[in-house]
Every structure is written in structure tokens, then in C-alpha cells.
Amino acid sequence: MDIITIIEKKKNRIELDKQEIRFVIKGYLEGAIPDYQISAFLMAIWFNGMNYKEIDAMTTEMAHSGEIINLNSIPDIKVDKHSTGGVGDKTTIALIPMVAAAGVPVPKISGRALGYTGGTIDKLESIDGFQTNLSVETFINNVRKIKASVISASVDLAPADKKIYALRDVTGTTDSIPLIASSIMSKKIAGGADSLVLNVTVGDGAFIKTLSEGISLAKIMVDIGRSNNKKTYAIISSMEQPLGNAVGNSLEVLEAINLLNNNGPADLKELCLFLGAYMLMAGGVVSKHIDGIKILEEILSNGLAFKKFLEIVKAQHGNVEQISNPLLLPRSKYNSNVISRKEGIIKRIDAEMIGKTALLLGAGRKTKEDNIDHSVGIVLKKKTGDRVRINEPLATIYFNEENRYNLIENSIHKAFHFTNSTLQKKPLILKVIY
Ligand code: URA
């Protein structure tokens, strides 16, 4: 078996068998196959896709590239959650404490930024000292004691995903159904939870642009979950504009904290309640979705979700003062409003452009070695459907490099599209598959 033949098979749309997929994953992990050949392999998958058998084999191989966590020592049904990613998607940061405060153990395995979308691990690292490379033992203990813990793919846990994910991030191979499905499900299998709630985002600001592709991805992941004995719900939601207002690491943590104080943007709250209620159903705490929503609303208004977040941050060695006083989170040197040059109603906000602008500011990586600037980003002042007058702010840019400002400002203007007629509100939640 050799890697060139395997790349050529994928290039020529010939099905790969389990052994060939194992050869690639193992070879890359052990350093026998270099980045450039795996990049070609990933790009061949991007163009030619994979069938279910191949995706399943790739998922199993990546999941078993490290430890499979055994959570049997923790009573109750453990529920993990994952999003396929999007611009401004900070749902995980708010959901973990909300659901844990409702009594469901949440062992959460998260990823870093991918392409122009942010990642939970990078966002949480905006909090001084917050550790996501916990040992498996500490992870299990934390879930047992405080009902929640967040770790990243690591040398112990789905290491093949960690390595391939970092390469996809910088090789234009993020938006591929087989690569997303195997990346997410390998981490979920390695993480050992009993049930899964997956948020498949579709639209301009997501890797998956259309509902029909979102349904395909959701079905594949639900099937893989089921064949691994995990009750799996996939909720497809719209990412036609950034979720919430903030885009950028510490700014998104701040927005999640606001939600935990029952003060977050309406769309973020709606999605968190919807996903969270499925997590409560998956965890056996409620049997009706509406009952889950009621419990979570209560937990947001009585402060229990915020308190749980403080506990999680403390258990992961983060600076809890930054949570109680978010002004202490990393802040950029400069900020400036982008002022509207037009009048009208916002018809569309190009989420991909906003995400790419945040990347330009330094909120994501352009090469594998890049460091993230946690302090920079964009806060939208207007969302789709809002009326805007000339000279009203469209967004605030948080930045550290003055020389990039004009470029960034222009991108923000280009991202906003106007109309003169009122708009029908589009639904945020599009479909549930299980
Ligand atoms: N999240 C992941 O963990 N992997 C992907 O490929 C996309 C989102």
C-alpha cells in the first residue's frame, strides 16, 4: 500500500477500503506521510466526496487514534453537543453551564477555529489560565463533581482529528461533508458521552451553504451516532448572518456571559434554549421539548447558569474575576464604529465576509503556526431586518493594528446589503433530524 496510489484512487473516484483509510490516518499521525500528501488527499475528498462506508471508516479510525474515554463511573446519561461551526457561534460556551446546571452531565470535546469560523477552545482561552488540555482523569473528575468539563482533541484524544483539523484549517478543505462528519463524530465517539446533540448550521456563514446539504450531513452524523449506540439529535439552524452580535474570541465570551446573565441577543438565546432543551431530552431530564425550554429559562433568570460557568472556569484554572467582571477580558488597543453611508433596511449581512474580516484582524489563523489575537473582532450594531439611518453605526471594530483599519472598514461596508422594503423574518431553526 502506498499513499500516492491512495490519493490517485480518491482523485479517480474509486472507493477506498478500511485498510487504505487506516493506512492514511495512521501514517499521518506517525509522521510517515507528510503534510503535503495529506493536503492532496483532503483536497481529493473535497472534490470527490466519500460514501457512507468510507466516512464511517474514517470516523472510526480517527476516533480510535487515541483513547476512548470511559465515562461509566459517572451516573446519569452524559450528553455532548457539537456545532458544525459558524460566524459568531458561541452557543457551546453558554450551553454547557445551562445544561449542566439543569442536572445533565456534559463531557464536552471541542475544536479550535476552523477557516473563517471561530472555535470554542480558542474562545475559552481568552480567559487567562483557562486550560483545555486537561488529562482524561481530570476531565472525568470534573464532570463527576460539577457536571461539566471542556477539553480539546489532543495527543490522547482523537489526535488524528487534531492534526487533520489543523491542516484543513489552512488548506481550503474545511467545507466538506465527509471531512466535517468524520471530524465531529470521531471526537464525539472518543469523548464517551451516551447521547449527542448536533447543531448543523447552514447558510452564508457556515461551511454548509444549503438546507439539502445540511440534511445530508445531519443524516450521516445521526446514522454514525446510532451505529455507535448514541442517541443523536441533529438540529439544523440558519447561519445566514452571524449568530448574536459579537464575532471574535473574547468578544464572544463576553456575549455568552451576557446570555448567562439572561441578557444576551435574542437569536443566540433562542438557539441555546432550543438546543439545550434537546440536551435535556437526550439526558432524560424531560420528555417534552417545551418542558426543557421552561427549565432552561428559569436557570438563566435565577442565576444558576452563570454560577455554573464560574464553577467550570475555576475547575479549569481560568481567572474567574474575568467572568464576574468581563471588562477584564482581553481588550484591543483601539475600537471604532463603522458608520452607515446608506439609509434603509438591512436585507442581508454577509456572514462569511464578516468571518473573513475577523480573520484579517487576527481572530483566526492563516497558517498552522499562527497565534490568535483574542482581543480583536467585530460587534454588529445592526442585524438583518433592522432599519438604519445615514451616520448610524453598523458595527464596532476592535483592532490592534491601525494600518489595517481602512481595509477592514471597507469589508464591513461590503458585508451589509440594504433594501427599502420591510422583510419577512426568516426562521432560525430549520429542521430536527433524529
Ligand atoms: N467542527 C469540527 O469539530 N470539525 C469540523 O470539521 C467542523 C466543525
Side-chain angles (χ1 to χ4, degrees):
M1 221 177 277
D2 72 280
I3 181 66
I4 302 175
T5 309
I6 295 174
I7 295 170
E8 284 182 341
K9 270 180 96 172
K10 192 34 62 197
K11 184 181 77 179
N12 293 320
R13 299 171 192 237
I14 300 167
E15 182 180 316
L16 301 177
D17 64 30
K18 259 190 197 165
Q19 285 69 29
E20 287 165 323
I21 290 172
R22 174 167 308 153
F23 177 85
V24 176
I25 303 296
K26 212 165 163 271
Y28 185 46
L29 199 55
E30 289 170 356
I33 305 175
D35 277 358
Y36 55 82
Q37 285 180 317
I38 298 298
S39 303
F41 177 70
L42 295 172
M43 194 52 91
I45 294 175
W46 190 94
F47 275 105
N48 291 335
M50 276 180 146
N51 63 24
Y52 181 79
K53 246 168 83 189
E54 292 174 300
I55 300 173
D56 194 33
M58 178 118 161
T59 305
T60 308
E61 217 40 64
M62 296 210 297
H64 290 267
S65 63
E67 192 171 337
I68 303 286
I69 299 182
N70 184 336
L71 297 171
N72 289 345
S73 62
I74 305 170
D76 302 326
I77 303 170
K78 279 76 64 185
V79 183
D80 194 353
K81 175 262 169 191
H82 210 92
S83 165
T84 57
V87 178
D89 184 355
K90 68 284 288 174
T91 48
T92 293
I93 301 171
L95 266 174
I96 300 172
M98 283 166 67
V99 173
V104 174
V106 187
K108 176 77 186 85
I109 320 289
S110 283
R112 294 191 177 275
L114 193 59
Y116 58 86
T117 70
T120 300
I121 296 295
D122 291 320
K123 291 173 197 177
L124 285 171
E125 284 176 354
S126 307
I127 304 165
D128 290 342
F130 194 98
Q131 281 182 25
T132 55
N133 57 347
L134 304 175
S135 69
V136 168
E137 198 189 345
T138 309
F139 177 68
I140 296 175
N141 278 337
N142 286 358
V143 178
R144 189 183 297 112
K145 275 195 225 137
I146 61 168
K147 298 243 180 236
S149 190
V150 197
I151 47 171
S152 54
S154 66
V155 278
D156 296 328
L157 198 73
D161 177 61
K162 179 182 161 79
K163 220 172 156 187
I164 291 175
Y165 192 93
L167 193 59
R168 284 172 58 214
D169 186 29
V170 292
T171 53
T173 50
T174 50
D175 50 346
S176 149
I177 288 180
L179 296 178
I180 295 173
S182 55
S183 162
I184 291 180
M185 294 311 286
S186 65
K187 286 192 282 278
K188 301 301 98 177
I189 293 167
D194 307 300
S195 292
L196 308 173
V197 172
L198 306 171
N199 181 202
V200 175
T201 51
V202 299
D204 200 25
F207 296 128
I208 303 299
K209 304 294 179 199
T210 65
L211 181 58
S212 67
E213 287 176 302
I215 292 173
S216 306
L217 173 59
K219 284 188 173 156
I220 292 168
M221 293 197 291
V222 167
D223 284 347
I224 294 176
R226 193 174 300 130
S227 70
N228 283 277
N229 297 320
K230 295 179 194 300
K231 187 170 188 174
T232 305
Y233 296 97
I235 288 92
I236 304 182
S237 68
S238 166
M239 183 55 77
E240 286 299 345
Q241 59 176 336
L243 185 67
N245 300 320
V247 179
N249 299 283
S250 66
L251 297 166
E252 292 191 42
V253 172
L254 170 61
E255 193 162 86
I257 294 172
N258 288 343
L259 176 59
L260 293 170
N261 284 315
N262 210 11
N263 212 5
D267 57 347
L268 177 64
K269 183 170 177 179
E270 180 186 346
L271 187 57
C272 285
L273 290 175
F274 197 89
L275 295 170
Y278 271 102
M279 291 177 78
L280 299 197
M281 278 170 73
V285 166
V286 293
S287 53
K288 286 200 206 128
H289 190 251
I290 183 72
D291 294 338
I293 301 247
K294 281 184 199 149
I295 291 178
L296 294 171
E297 274 176 335
E298 176 69 23
I299 275 171
L300 284 179
S301 61
N302 66 16
L304 285 183
F306 178 74
K307 227 172 114 196
K308 183 56 75 181
F309 191 49
L310 284 174
E311 270 181 79
I312 296 167
V313 171
K314 186 162 176 228
Q316 303 207 202
H317 312 288
N319 179 358
V320 283
E321 274 181 47
Q322 288 174 304
I323 310 305
S324 304
N325 180 5
L327 289 177
L328 299 173
L329 285 166
R331 291 163 68 110
S332 62
K333 262 196 261 172
Y334 313 106
N335 65 72
S336 179
N337 283 339
V338 178
I339 301 300
S340 183
R341 297 167 185 153
K342 294 182 192 159
E343 178 152 340
I345 290 169
I346 309 285
K347 182 169 80 177
R348 198 167 81 79
I349 302 173
D350 184 333
E352 183 170 340
M353 189 168 277
I354 297 285
K356 286 184 172 163
T357 308
L359 199 67
L360 260 180
L361 283 165
R365 298 178 183 81
K366 285 177 228 74
T367 73
K368 282 201 296 176
E369 289 71 31
D370 277 357
N371 286 324
I372 276 190
D373 184 342
H374 290 99
S375 66
V376 297
I378 297 150
V379 174
L380 303 177
K381 298 289 180 194
K382 299 285 177 188
K383 299 266 307 225
T384 305
D386 287 350
R387 184 172 286 283
V388 183
R389 293 201 187 81
I390 291 180
N391 287 336
E392 263 195 289
L394 293 172
T396 308
I397 304 176
Y398 293 81
F399 59 108
N400 285 320
E401 288 178 40
E402 276 177 295
N403 56 358
R404 298 250 181 105
Y405 183 76
N406 287 346
L407 188 69
I408 304 287
E409 188 188 25
N410 272 336
S411 302
I412 303 283
H413 279 297
K414 278 193 202 141
F416 278 83
H417 299 262
F418 291 76
T419 178
N420 287 324
S421 29
T422 45
L423 293 176
Q424 194 101 9
K425 197 171 180 272
K426 290 200 188 145
L428 179 61
I429 316 287
L430 304 175
K431 208 168 172 58
V432 181
I433 289 177
Y434 53 90

